[in-house]
């Protein structure tokens, strides 16, 4: 089976922050793959913009190096790279010093048939000045698109300020807020699983589902990114990626895959989340911070060890587990347990939908009690879907019950390279499809839910619970779910 490539219209993509990490690691490799697959050709342009006084040749060199470094060797095709590099050009731009900036207008084509997109891969405090610069230079068009990405604020208030700044110039239907989780193939597959099959919808509710678990565990540490210490896992992962996953699992079927139909349903979920405030924060949330390990065989630095001197003693959480509840007809009484952390036992992102136990067992004398069915959606790695069913262990010896998985491995079923999230998202911007991007009201509703948790933590004298690097987080996370008579799903990898 091979993918069907639908070419996008020719575009001028201006990337502000052209020399930054995101551009090199994600944007250039993603655009390269789309070019290589023939989704666009030499009629499109990628225009780097940043404060550095680079030349076109310098930027082309940067792009070539980014491909060499961040595209898997087997996909590096020299002839394609040579053609691709030619669509790169560069203009030095400092939005706060227009007089010292190059002529961005000259690099853009004044043709309404050519899509115009501005990717702001820069700090959010530059969004508004750049938007105003574009307007002042008459580079704004009503059909132009602007792409922005987190951190879109650190709380509701700052998020409103950022959006207000961008919306001085751009209207909501021009703003593409990236949450890269929505671009992941497996996350989009959630929509297919739920809404392209009849099997699940009748049981997708509190009558049949006991609870839902969402785990996004990373084995890497927080690293030395200054941003992380300001953010912490709640803002870095829960407010955006994990709440988006929760919305896709919990939302009502939208009438179509139209951007607003889908986003309306996600918004309803966010608004139905029960606020976790004051006393409930200690009961329903756990935050942790990893400590290092040093033995003869392993040596891993703890979070504090990686911090610069002035930040030592930081209480930033590198792990969060929490119990969320959705107050609506479908989900009343069905907890959603979320957990995410750095330096955990393995890198795994998955959703576990656990169904209710059978009402009555006829297998009193059987070996092995029937266990509730589970639907496991593995987002990464080893993408796939597993349905855990009870089976009879074959052979003589009476009735022995065993849990076995109906296993759909994407690698085996599709045998294709899985595109990176940014590939899909960058092309959706050109197509003008906002379905996989967050609308302003969604973003704000997510902050409204997260802010009281953050505030209660800030007020609390309790520091985050410590957990050893390479484990599944602090003991409090286990207690959080076990208190309800449940446990975290830590199934076998295959
Ligand atoms: C980013 C976070 O948004 O997502 C990082 O800022 C995190 O801290 C990353 O590591 C995880 O993304 P992925 O695609 O590797 O699961």
């Amino acid at each position: 089976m091979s993918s069907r490539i639908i070419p996008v219209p020719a575009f001028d993509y201006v990337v502000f922050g052209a020399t930054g990490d995101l551009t090199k690691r994600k944007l250039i490799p993603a655009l390269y793959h789309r070019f290589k697959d023939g989704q666009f050709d030499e009629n499109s342009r990628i225009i780097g913009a940043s404060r550095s006084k680079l030349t076109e040749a310098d930027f082309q060199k940067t792009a070539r190096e980014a491909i060499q470094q961040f595209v898997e060797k087997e996909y590096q095709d020299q002839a394609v790279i040579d053609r691709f590099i030619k669509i790169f050009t560069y203009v030095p731009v400092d939005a706060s010093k227009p007089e010292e900036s190059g002529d961005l207008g000259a690099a853009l084509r004044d043709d309404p048939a050519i899509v115009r997109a501005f990717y702001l891969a820069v700090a959010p405090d530059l969004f508004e000045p750049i938007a105003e610069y574009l307007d002042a230079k008459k580079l704004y068009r009503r059909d132009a698109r602007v792409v922005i990405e987190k951190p879109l604020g650190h709380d509701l208030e700052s998020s409103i300020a950022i959006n207000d700044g961008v919306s001085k110039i751009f209207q909501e239907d021009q703003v593409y807020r990236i949450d890269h989780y929505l671009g992941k193939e497996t996350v989009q597959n959630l929509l297919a699983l739920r809404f392209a099959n009849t099997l699940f919808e009748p049981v997708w509710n509190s009558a049949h589902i006991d609870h839902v678990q969402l785990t996004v565990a990373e084995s890497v540490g927080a690293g030395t990114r200054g941003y992380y210490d300001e953010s912490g896992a709640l803002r870095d992962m829960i407010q955006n990626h994990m709440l988006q996953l929760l919305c896709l699992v919990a939302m009502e079927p939208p009438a179509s895959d139209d951007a607003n139909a889908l986003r309306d349903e996600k918004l309803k979920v966010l608004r139905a989340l029960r606020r976790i405030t004051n006393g409930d924060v200690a009961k329903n949330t756990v935050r942790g911070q990893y400590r290092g390990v040093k033995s003869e065989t392993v040596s891993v630095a703890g979070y504090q060890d990686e911090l610069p001197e002035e930040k030592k003693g930081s209480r930033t959480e590198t792990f969060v587990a929490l119990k969320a509840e959705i107050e609506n007809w479908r989900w009343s009484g069905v907890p959603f347990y979320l957990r995410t952390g750095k330096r955990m036992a393995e890198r795994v992102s998955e959703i576990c939908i656990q169904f209710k136990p059978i009402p009555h067992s006829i297998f009193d004398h059987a070996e092995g009690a029937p266990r509730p069915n589970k639907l496991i959606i593995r987002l990464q790695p080893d993408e796939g879907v597993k349905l855990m069913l009870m089976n009879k262990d074959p052979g003589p010896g009476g009735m022995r019950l065993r849990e076995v998985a109906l296993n759909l491995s994407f690698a085996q079923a599709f045998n294709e390279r899985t595109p990176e999230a940014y590939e899909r998202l960058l092309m959706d911007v050109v197509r003008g499809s906002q379905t996989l991007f967050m609308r302003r009201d969604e973003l704000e509703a997510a902050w409204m839910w997260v802010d009281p948790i953050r505030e209660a933590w800030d007020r609390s004298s309790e520091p985050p619970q410590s957990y050893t690097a390479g484990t599944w987080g602090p003991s409090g996370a286990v207690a959080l779910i076990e208190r309800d008579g449940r446990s975290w799903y830590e199934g076998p990898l295959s």
Side-chain angles (χ1 to χ4, degrees):
M1 229 178 78
S2 67
S3 316
R4 225 174 102 233
I5 306 290
I6 304 173
V8 293
F11 56 78
D12 285 343
Y13 232 118
V14 183
V15 181
F16 285 91
T19 53
D21 224 38
L22 178 69
T23 308
K24 289 186 214 162
R25 277 177 190 276
K26 299 288 181 190
L27 307 185
I28 293 173
L31 289 164
Y32 167 74
H33 277 294
R34 296 297 90 229
F35 180 84
K36 181 170 180 296
D37 283 354
Q39 203 154 13
F40 61 90
D41 60 19
E42 287 88 342
N43 290 319
S44 289
R45 280 187 193 164
I46 298 163
I47 303 140
S50 85
R51 282 185 282 214
S52 310
K53 302 270 184 243
L54 301 184
T55 62
E56 179 176 282
D58 294 333
F59 189 48
Q60 292 184 345
K61 185 164 167 272
T62 304
R64 192 182 285 279
E65 286 164 1
I67 296 168
Q68 280 157 359
Q69 205 178 346
F70 298 112
V71 171
E72 309 86 314
K73 286 274 171 294
E74 60 180 302
Y75 299 111
Q76 293 186 21
D77 177 329
Q78 281 319 311
V80 177
I81 297 176
D82 291 345
R83 283 201 295 124
F84 178 59
I85 290 305
K86 294 210 181 84
I87 73 170
F88 280 70
T89 182
Y90 184 84
V91 184
V93 177
D94 184 339
S96 61
K97 294 188 192 129
E99 62 296 346
E100 290 180 22
S101 299
D103 189 355
L104 187 55
L108 290 169
R109 289 165 292 177
D110 204 9
D111 175 351
I114 293 179
V115 173
R116 183 171 290 186
F118 302 105
Y119 198 121
L120 311 191
V122 293
D125 57 349
L126 294 174
F127 294 170
E128 183 176 337
I130 292 178
E132 286 182 329
Y133 172 85
L134 294 172
D135 186 47
K137 293 283 166 191
K138 308 227 168 345
L139 305 178
Y140 168 84
R141 261 181 10 199
R142 176 64 185 93
D143 64 353
R145 287 129 214 202
V146 65
V147 189
I148 55 178
E149 182 158 5
K150 85 174 212 295
L152 296 175
H154 50 87
D155 58 10
L156 177 63
E157 204 184 319
S158 50
S159 160
I160 290 175
I162 290 171
N163 284 316
D164 281 351
V166 175
S167 70
K168 278 190 183 161
I169 308 297
F170 291 94
Q171 302 199 18
E172 182 61 27
D173 64 5
Q174 299 177 274
V175 184
Y176 289 71
R177 292 181 192 82
I178 287 204
D179 181 313
H180 81 278
Y181 265 60
L182 293 178
K184 288 184 190 274
E185 286 288 328
T186 43
V187 174
Q188 292 165 57
N189 189 47
L190 257 174
L191 296 175
L193 196 71
R194 286 197 60 198
F195 305 127
N197 295 291
T198 51
L199 199 59
F200 297 116
E201 187 50 29
V203 293
W204 208 259
N205 54 52
S206 62
H208 301 277
I209 292 178
D210 178 76
H211 74 277
V212 176
Q213 297 182 19
L214 306 177
T215 296
V216 176
E218 296 182 272
S219 50
V220 293
T224 46
R225 285 194 297 168
Y227 149 80
Y228 193 87
D229 196 58
E230 303 300 317
S231 155
L234 185 70
R235 292 183 178 119
D236 188 46
M237 297 297 288
I238 302 265
Q239 188 272 342
N240 38 74
H241 309 323
M242 296 206 59
L243 284 185
Q244 288 292 322
L245 292 179
L246 178 144
C247 285
L248 295 179
V249 172
M251 71 185 187
E252 295 300 314
S256 70
D257 71 350
D258 163 77
N260 281 329
L262 199 113
R263 299 187 298 178
D264 286 346
E265 296 307 335
K266 287 197 288 165
L267 179 64
K268 286 184 207 158
V269 174
L270 291 167
R271 290 194 171 150
L273 280 172
R274 195 167 81 81
R275 293 287 196 99
I276 305 180
T277 50
N278 304 321
D280 288 345
V281 173
K283 200 168 88 214
N284 290 349
T285 73
V286 174
R287 58 190 165 135
Q289 192 183 78
Y290 61 86
R291 59 171 179 270
V293 232
K294 213 172 177 71
S295 70
E296 274 177 19
T297 46
V298 256
S299 171
V300 182
Y303 182 68
Q304 295 289 338
D305 308 327
E306 292 162 333
L307 289 174
E309 215 40 57
E310 66 280 12
K311 295 231 164 123
K312 297 269 188 232
S314 158
R315 289 176 149 212
T316 298
E317 76 287 353
T318 60
F319 173 95
V320 179
L322 58 82
K323 175 178 169 182
E325 287 159 285
I326 303 170
E327 296 185 305
N328 65 15
W329 270 53
R330 187 187 283 265
W331 296 115
S332 179
V334 181
F336 282 63
Y337 299 97
L338 276 56
R339 65 177 169 167
T340 183
K342 303 274 185 201
R343 283 265 184 262
M344 292 186 63
E346 58 185 90
R347 174 175 180 255
V348 56
S349 297
E350 71 190 359
I351 300 170
C352 170
I353 316 280
Q354 178 155 333
F355 291 89
K356 296 219 153 146
I358 51 166
H360 167 74
S361 174
I362 61 166
F363 299 111
D364 275 356
H365 304 293
E367 207 179 292
R371 293 210 220 150
N373 297 130
K374 290 186 240 355
L375 178 69
I376 318 284
I377 302 160
R378 176 64 84 100
L379 306 177
Q380 59 192 30
D382 307 326
E383 294 85 349
V385 179
K386 278 198 284 193
L387 183 61
M388 308 302 285
L389 299 172
M390 293 310 295
N391 283 264
K392 178 188 175 295
D393 214 357
M399 177 63 89
R400 293 189 312 272
L401 295 176
R402 190 145 67 97
E403 190 179 47
V404 185
L406 258 185
N407 198 347
L408 166 64
S409 149
F410 289 2
Q412 281 166 20
F414 303 111
N415 193 23
E416 276 182 48
R417 165 182 174 272
T418 306
E420 285 272 335
Y422 281 93
E423 296 179 41
R424 166 75 192 252
L425 296 174
L426 285 165
M427 293 297 100
D428 276 1
V429 172
V430 178
R431 281 192 203 98
S433 166
Q434 287 184 306
T435 305
L436 298 177
F437 296 84
M438 289 182 297
R439 207 167 55 192
R440 175 173 182 165
D441 47 10
E442 273 182 83
L443 180 73
E444 293 178 357
W447 280 121
M448 268 183 234
W449 188 73
V450 155
D451 279 354
I453 303 176
R454 171 96 261 149
E455 284 157 14
W457 286 352
D458 288 347
R459 279 195 305 271
S460 157
S461 54
E462 294 277 315
Q465 295 181 18
S466 170
Y467 63 98
T468 310
T471 65
W472 285 106
S475 56
V478 177
L480 174 90
I481 192 165
E482 290 194 345
R483 213 167 36 226
D484 294 344
R486 304 180 172 108
S487 54
W488 293 106
Y489 173 74
E490 271 147 35
L493 275 178
S494 51

